[in-house]
Amino acid sequence: VLMDEPSTGMDPRSKRFLWDTISASFEGSERGAILTTHYMEEADALCSRIGIMINGELQCIGSSQHLKDKYGSGYMLEVKGVSEADLNKQEEMMEKIDAFIKKQFPNAFCAEWFGDRAIYKVPRDDIKSLGMAFASLETGKQECSIEEYSLSQASLEQVFLEFARNQLEEGDDTNDKDPRVSVRSSPRRAP
């Protein structure tokens, strides 16, 4: 079965129904399908093997977790400082948080900083153990006014965007097409 952008233009409820129908159709079956999609979330939900194509060339293929592990840029850490009414104190607090994060994760860098929130990209090598990472972030709640934090693995969307960014950096302006049009994947089958 070939499916080209099957959920484009659907509302969330209809999209979920379609995904459930596709999953049920191939569960425990010897049949397979090829699915093209712009939506990495859809590929992640439905597919056992995912291939990412940029300008008609296959860049990678494998399970969602394999692609995240191999091509993902590590972890995303979002921290929120204690809300401060005084903007000068807020900036001082965020600088203290920034110093704390860089001490805990030496190769981390701040990708975004707005108000009392910051988003860091933390390389995999900076996190030897998730338990230790969470323990140090909990320490940051007492030491430097971190109110809350979120640590997550790079998403499939981020993996795709990294491939697309590399393509743009190579200066290939011969193809004006959206590179997502070439994403290929196959529906997930139950073991």
Side-chain angles (χ1 to χ4, degrees), residues 53-57 59 167 172 174-179 182:
M53 295 182 76
I54 305 290
N55 289 336
E57 291 183 26
Q59 302 296 311
Q167 179 244 331
D172 183 10
T174 59
N175 188 352
D176 295 333
K177 295 180 184 175
D178 177 359
S182 298

Side-chain angles (χ1 to χ4, degrees), residues 3 5 27 34 49 56 63 76 103 105 120 186-188:
M3 292 178 272
E5 305 282 348
E27 192 173 319
I34 296 176
R49 289 176 38 109
S63 70
M76 299 298 287
K103 181 180 174 190
F105 310 107
Y120 293 86
S186 59
R188 184 181 315 267

Side-chain angles (χ1 to χ4, degrees), residues 158-177:
Q158 290 164 327
V159 170
F160 170 77
L161 291 173
E162 192 62 34
F163 277 111
R165 185 176 301 111
N166 290 339
Q167 179 244 331
L168 291 173
E169 287 174 1
E170 291 173 4
D172 183 10
D173 58 357
T174 59
N175 188 352
D176 295 333
K177 295 180 184 175

Side-chain angles (χ1 to χ4, degrees), residues 101-169:
I101 296 297
K102 290 181 177 172
K103 181 180 174 190
Q104 302 303 314
F105 310 107
N107 298 308
F109 67 93
C110 187
E112 292 179 46
W113 184 342
F114 44 96
D116 61 353
R117 294 182 182 269
I119 298 176
Y120 293 86
K121 289 189 176 184
V122 182
R124 273 192 301 266
D125 296 341
D126 277 7
I127 297 181
K128 305 295 183 225
S129 155
L130 287 175
M132 288 171 42
F134 285 117
S136 67
L137 290 167
E138 284 296 317
T139 302
K141 285 184 163 184
Q142 285 78 40
E143 288 183 16
C144 62
S145 303
I146 293 176
E147 184 175 323
E148 57 187 55
Y149 61 85
S150 166
L151 181 67
S152 61
Q153 183 181 38
S155 69
L156 194 55
E157 181 77 16
Q158 290 164 327
V159 170
F160 170 77
L161 291 173
E162 192 62 34
F163 277 111
R165 185 176 301 111
N166 290 339
Q167 179 244 331
L168 291 173
E169 287 174 1

